[in-house]
Amino acid sequence: MSRGRLKVYLGYAAGVGKTYRMLDEAQEMKCHGTDIVIGYFEPHGRQETIAKTEGLELVPRRAVAYGGGKFEEMDTDAILRRQPRVAIVDEFAHTNVPGSERAKRWQDVHTLLDAGIDVLTTMNIQHLESLNDQVYHVTGIRVRETIPDWVVDEADELVLVDLTPRALRNRLERGVVYAPEKAQRAMENFFTEGNLSALREMAMRHTAHEVEEKLSVVPGAEPPGTEAAPAGAPANAGSAPRRERILICLTGRPSSAILIRRGKRVADYLHADCVAIHVAAGQQAFGDDREAVERHMSFARNLRIATHVVHAADVPRAIAEFAREQGVTQIFMGRSAAQPWWKRYQETAVQGIVRHARDMQVTIVAERRR
Amino acid sequence: MSSIDRRPDPEQLLRRVQAGERRERRGRLKVFLGYASRVGKSFRMFDEGRRRKMRGQDVVVGAVQSAIEPDIEAILSNFEIVPPIIERHAGRTYEVIDLSALFRRHPATVVIDGLAYDNPPGSRNPHRWQDVDELLDRGIAVISAVNLQHIAEKQDEVERITGKRAANSIPQAFLAEADEIEVVDAPPDALIGRPGDTSICDARRLAELREIALLLAADVVEDQLQDYLESHGVTARWGAQERILVCLTPRSSARLMLESGHRNALRFHGALLAAYVESGSLGEEDRRLLESNLGLARELGADVHCLHGEDFVEAILDFAREERVTQLFLGHTGADRRLRLWERNPLERLIEAADGFDVRLFPHEEKS
């Protein structure tokens, strides 16, 4: 049995019309005789959208008890038993109630795809893992529910559902998206014209990027970006560079998460390999720090970055040696913590790595603050 | 070489105020942009008109495409149509918007399909988009639709992909100045096999066109975003676009940095900038090296700036913030260690202050 196909409707905020568009297409498929069911649908009280579900078979949700409350989740097993040709699954980025068989809805979707069921789903650009820091920087909102980029990259089709910020704000004002009081708060906070425009641009650029990535895997195709130097450029300026390999230096510091996302994003765009290393210097490899390092390592693995731990006393030297062994072209690291004045004679980690890895590029990733 | 001088220019301020006033009186323009025919632009455009009408707005249709699909025909029956004037000229049939009828009728909104149509010789305006401009000037809002192949500045690129060039076009600036532009996106597969499809519509070409249209829209949105932030007194910092700044010095590995910056900018569809801090005390040899580096930067399409400032670090930091840089490329000599305890070297100061952008250090190339 072949794996089901995944189609993602990508928007930049609630209310742009992702679910509506998805259901519209579902209705059309049903008209053409496709066996299609709704696996999960979030009505949000939006009448026009609810009307679009008419006539579509609905697989009832599963009730889950958790912490004294009752929750409803998609009933993946019931959909598997029903075995439709296509399933509609709203809100790709959703996190299931603790205790569910799978932690994330995208994992449920993978289960359906594995069973040969095609899936139509929806998400917003701010749920993309690698954009998390940028979204925070632009909007001031730290999005908690994220989807690893590779999950979205693997979608067979990605469709941008566009709406101008003005039209979206009109919809909010008319109470189409949220109840009036919530809408008012939303417009003052997240749904400002500036935020919406920035998110919209990210969604457009990301869709363009995915289109380009799909083009580049076509056999015999030139990878985009390496080919043509612009007209008039020196002939050797566009010559194929050697394949880039990025090494991310992980520590227990919170900024490591930013480092991982940024390193992976750059690697993806440059079609570079990406590996991560943590050098355990002995004395710090226990307690909170160790726990934090492990958390970061597992976060990196979730994003499909190979991780390595090396034990050594001289951290910069160990990183440089590992990088050389692995053919790394670029080292990604965080900024060294500011040294108190009495320690200023000591070399910082950045200085140490630059000194040891003179043949490599070293990128110091800034923390994206507000 | 352009130097940066961003003091508010009174002329510029006046122009901005006037533009704002003009915009207030003008009708709003909304354009639906598609990357090929049959992505559903016209449908979305008429649907927008229908929605406005349902909300009680006075909406009329001023132009429709000659080939009408059934779903559009169903929507069209809801509208009052001010029919275009049919003109024959040298064996060709033209449909010209009936401007005087529309001026007399003066609705709140006119729906005009085929924004890039040309008018016959001898018309009031040579192009339909100029007719639209007049409607806007009279305070009438316009909803319109256009295909990527009709954007003048993108026609070379489109021709490289499809081997065809549309005879009629609109300037990209007209699109960029629209109050709203909305992308009508659909995967290429959805277009193949539809009625009216021909063999040139292979998925790959369509995907290439789709990418160009998405990036064009992103650029328009980026400009609108910066305008919005500026007019609201927000210091424009990060958009969604990667902006790479290569710092040039006479002895740095300029070629490596510039080529890498160029590659990065291409991959991210970002902007490439190069800057040099004028220090005035260059020897003849260094001056020559610098000039050749700047030349290379320009050849690679970088936006080259010469900065002035007492302090190299401050000059670079100010410029990077102002230009919303996301990646800064810098050469190191490998011997940048500080000499005295209390004095940190420029590189360290830069890294410490680089809040919001990454610093990529490039190894120094041994000059032979």
Side-chain angles (χ1 to χ4, degrees):
Chain A
M1 178 183 45
S2 67
R3 194 174 151 88
R5 287 173 61 85
L6 175 64
K7 180 166 182 174
V8 178
Y9 295 83
L10 178 75
Y12 67 88
V16 294
K18 299 177 296 293
T19 306
Y20 185 89
R21 174 94 186 263
M22 173 174 72
L23 290 168
D24 197 43
E25 229 155 288
Q27 292 284 5
E28 202 171 308
M29 289 166 102
K30 189 169 178 272
C31 279
H32 288 95
T34 309
D35 180 23
I36 185 165
V37 303
I38 297 179
Y40 190 91
F41 165 61
E42 197 58 69
H44 293 294
R46 294 172 197 161
Q47 294 312 321
E48 271 195 66
T49 311
I50 294 167
K52 275 280 169 200
T53 62
E54 226 182 270
L56 291 172
E57 179 185 337
L58 182 85
V59 177
R61 298 179 189 178
R62 189 171 52 92
V64 189
Y66 174 73
K70 270 205 141 187
F71 296 87
E72 286 188 334
E73 295 290 359
M74 175 163 82
D75 196 342
T76 308
D77 289 339
I79 302 169
L80 289 173
R81 280 195 302 274
R82 167 65 179 74
Q83 193 68 34
R85 183 78 206 83
V86 184
I88 294 162
V89 181
D90 215 358
E91 304 200 334
F92 199 27
H94 172 78
T95 302
N96 292 331
V97 166
S100 301
E101 195 173 335
R102 284 163 289 268
K104 298 282 187 178
R105 179 157 300 151
W106 65 259
Q107 294 168 319
D108 285 322
V109 165
H110 276 194
T111 308
L112 298 176
L113 295 172
D114 287 342
I117 300 169
D118 292 349
V119 175
L120 309 183
T121 191
T122 59
M123 70 177 281
N124 282 328
I125 191 68
Q126 56 267 39
H127 294 123
L128 195 69
E129 182 67 58
S130 71
L131 285 174
N132 195 269
D133 302 302
Q134 210 174 332
V135 167
Y136 173 67
H137 180 87
V138 170
T139 65
I141 286 162
R142 183 61 82 181
V143 177
R144 299 287 164 198
E145 292 188 324
T146 55
I147 304 181
D149 292 43
W150 63 266
V151 174
V152 182
D153 294 343
E154 280 182 2
D156 299 277
E157 283 177 17
L158 183 72
V159 187
L160 178 74
V161 181
D162 191 29
L163 184 75
T164 65
R166 183 183 154 88
L168 178 56
R169 283 171 59 86
N170 281 342
R171 280 187 189 183
L172 274 163
E173 269 176 1
R174 291 200 310 274
V176 178
V177 182
Y178 296 129
E181 194 196 326
K182 190 177 175 191
Q184 190 53 42
R185 256 182 297 135
M187 283 180 72
E188 282 159 17
N189 299 309
F190 188 73
F191 286 76
T192 62
E193 208 168 320
N195 280 355
L196 294 177
S197 296
L199 291 169
R200 183 178 181 220
E201 189 188 336
M202 285 181 208
M204 286 171 168
R205 290 196 188 280
H206 187 75
T207 311
H209 173 68
E210 292 286 352
V211 170
E212 183 170 311
E213 290 299 299
K214 293 228 156 49
L215 277 170
S216 70
V217 295
V218 175
E222 288 268 305
T226 41
E227 80 275 63
N236 58 345
S239 60
R242 77 170 152 139
R243 190 176 173 85
E244 294 235 33
R245 202 171 162 81
I246 286 174
L247 175 66
I248 300 173
C249 305
L250 294 185
T251 64
R253 294 170 58 199
S255 56
S256 283
I258 294 175
L259 198 57
I260 292 165
R261 284 191 280 258
R262 184 68 178 160
K264 180 65 174 146
R265 185 172 169 79
V266 172
D268 283 351
Y269 270 78
L270 297 182
H271 298 161
D273 300 323
C274 189
V275 290
I277 185 177
H278 171 68
V279 181
Q283 76 274 21
Q284 11 156 276
F286 57 83
D288 287 353
D289 193 62
R290 184 188 174 144
E291 205 177 288
V293 168
E294 267 165 21
R295 210 172 51 241
H296 293 148
M297 297 291 250
S298 119
F299 177 52
R301 282 192 295 271
N302 266 331
L303 302 187
R304 295 196 164 166
I305 301 167
T307 57
H308 302 262
V309 178
V310 171
H311 295 270
D314 185 343
V315 177
R317 173 190 290 251
I319 288 172
E321 278 173 1
F322 179 84
R324 207 159 287 126
E325 251 167 52
Q326 297 269 325
V328 164
T329 55
Q330 208 185 136
I331 298 176
F332 265 64
M333 57 186 306
R335 212 162 10 173
S336 306
Q339 299 276 53
W341 65 268
W342 67 85
K343 275 177 119 179
R344 286 225 168 134
Y345 63 90
Q346 282 185 3
E347 201 177 50
T348 62
V350 171
Q351 289 169 325
I353 286 175
V354 168
R355 185 162 59 86
H356 284 290
R358 287 191 185 183
D359 46 342
M360 283 168 237
Q361 295 166 22
V362 179
T363 297
I364 298 105
V365 173
E367 288 166 33
R368 263 65 175 171
R369 275 195 286 258
R370 288 279 292 166
Chain B
M1 222 182 287
S2 61
S3 83
I4 55 159
D5 181 5
R6 300 275 159 88
R7 274 169 305 173
D9 164 11
E11 282 298 311
Q12 205 179 336
L13 283 176
L14 182 66
R15 272 200 301 279
R16 189 175 289 169
V17 170
Q18 283 169 341
E21 282 172 356
R22 181 167 170 258
R23 180 154 286 190
E24 246 167 56
R25 282 195 308 273
R26 242 166 96 92
R28 292 180 64 89
L29 172 63
K30 180 164 185 171
V31 180
F32 290 86
L33 172 71
Y35 67 88
S37 4
R38 295 185 311 285
V39 289
K41 289 180 316 297
S42 297
F43 180 80
R44 290 282 290 282
M45 177 187 64
F46 285 115
D47 197 48
E48 168 90 21
R50 181 188 61 85
R51 285 163 190 266
R52 291 192 190 185
K53 208 163 176 268
M54 267 172 51
R55 295 202 294 272
Q57 258 195 39
D58 181 19
V59 183
V60 306
V61 170
V64 296
Q65 302 258 44
S66 37
I68 301 170
E69 289 191 26
D71 50 346
I72 291 175
E73 204 159 328
I75 294 194
L76 267 178
S77 60
N78 298 312
F79 287 105
E80 173 187 337
I81 297 176
V82 175
I85 302 161
I86 311 287
E87 284 186 30
R88 288 190 174 279
H89 191 96
R92 248 186 84 187
T93 310
Y94 293 86
E95 294 189 8
V96 185
I97 297 174
D98 192 346
L99 273 185
S100 21
L102 284 169
F103 291 158
R104 277 197 307 277
R105 173 65 181 75
H106 211 282
T109 300
V110 187
V111 184
I112 289 171
D113 208 354
L115 184 58
Y117 275 38
D118 278 339
N119 294 334
S123 303
R124 175 187 178 114
N125 294 309
H127 309 289
R128 181 174 285 180
W129 66 266
Q130 294 165 317
D131 292 342
V132 166
D133 207 32
E134 283 201 49
L135 287 166
L136 298 170
D137 273 338
R138 302 265 179 138
I140 299 171
V142 176
I143 314 175
S144 194
V146 71
N147 252 334
L148 176 69
Q149 57 167 339
H150 296 299
I151 309 299
E153 284 79 355
K154 298 290 171 192
Q155 284 192 304
D156 287 345
E157 241 177 305
V158 171
E159 193 177 356
R160 263 202 298 280
I161 294 164
T162 62
K164 285 185 177 175
R165 191 182 189 93
N168 49 333
S169 65
I170 67 165
Q172 190 171 317
F174 188 71
L175 188 71
E177 278 168 20
D179 301 274
E180 295 176 79
I181 125 168
E182 192 168 309
V183 175
V184 183
D185 188 38
D189 317 16
L191 308 186
I192 296 169
R194 279 211 185 173
D197 180 40
T198 57
S199 58
I200 62 132
C201 290
D202 82 286
R204 186 178 173 84
R205 282 175 189 162
L206 285 170
E208 287 176 24
L209 296 177
R210 186 181 174 202
E211 189 191 356
I212 296 170
L214 286 163
L215 290 171
L216 168 62
D219 286 344
V220 171
V221 171
E222 166 86 20
D223 287 348
Q224 287 176 344
L225 174 63
Q226 295 310 331
D227 279 354
Y228 171 86
L229 294 176
E230 257 175 57
S231 64
H232 285 68
V234 184
T235 336
R237 280 194 67 189
W238 277 13
Q241 191 193 26
E242 290 286 339
R243 298 176 63 83
I244 297 156
L245 172 62
V246 177
C247 299
L248 295 174
T249 55
R251 304 268 172 179
S252 58
S253 336
R255 176 169 290 277
L256 187 63
M257 284 197 287
L258 285 167
E259 283 175 5
S260 178
H262 174 62
R263 211 158 49 236
N264 274 259
L266 275 179
R267 285 286 171 84
F268 279 100
H269 296 283
L272 180 63
L273 301 109
Y276 153 70
V277 182
E278 185 79 58
S279 66
S281 55
L282 285 183
E284 199 176 308
E285 170 70 0
D286 280 353
R287 172 65 59 190
R288 200 186 54 74
L289 280 171
L290 181 71
E291 285 302 332
S292 106
N293 290 348
L294 294 174
L296 177 64
R298 281 191 207 95
E299 279 176 46
L300 289 173
D303 187 9
V304 177
H305 295 261
C306 172
L307 311 179
H308 303 272
E310 293 288 298
D311 183 50
F312 170 85
V313 174
E314 285 304 317
I316 292 283
L317 282 172
D318 284 348
F319 182 70
R321 286 193 195 107
E322 203 166 338
E323 288 291 335
R324 310 181 313 281
V325 161
T326 59
Q327 304 181 36
L328 186 101
F329 287 13
L330 203 63
H332 69 75
T333 61
D336 293 308
R337 302 195 59 191
R338 89 195 74 111
L339 302 173
R340 288 182 289 270
L341 258 184
W342 56 90
E343 242 177 47
R344 285 168 307 148
N345 79 40
L347 217 66
E348 269 171 76
R349 282 172 50 218
L350 223 151
I351 291 167
E352 212 163 287
D355 196 18
F357 56 86
D358 303 337
V359 178
R360 199 199 291 194
L361 299 175
F362 281 73
H364 186 65
E365 275 173 341
E366 298 305 325
K367 292 269 188 303
S368 51

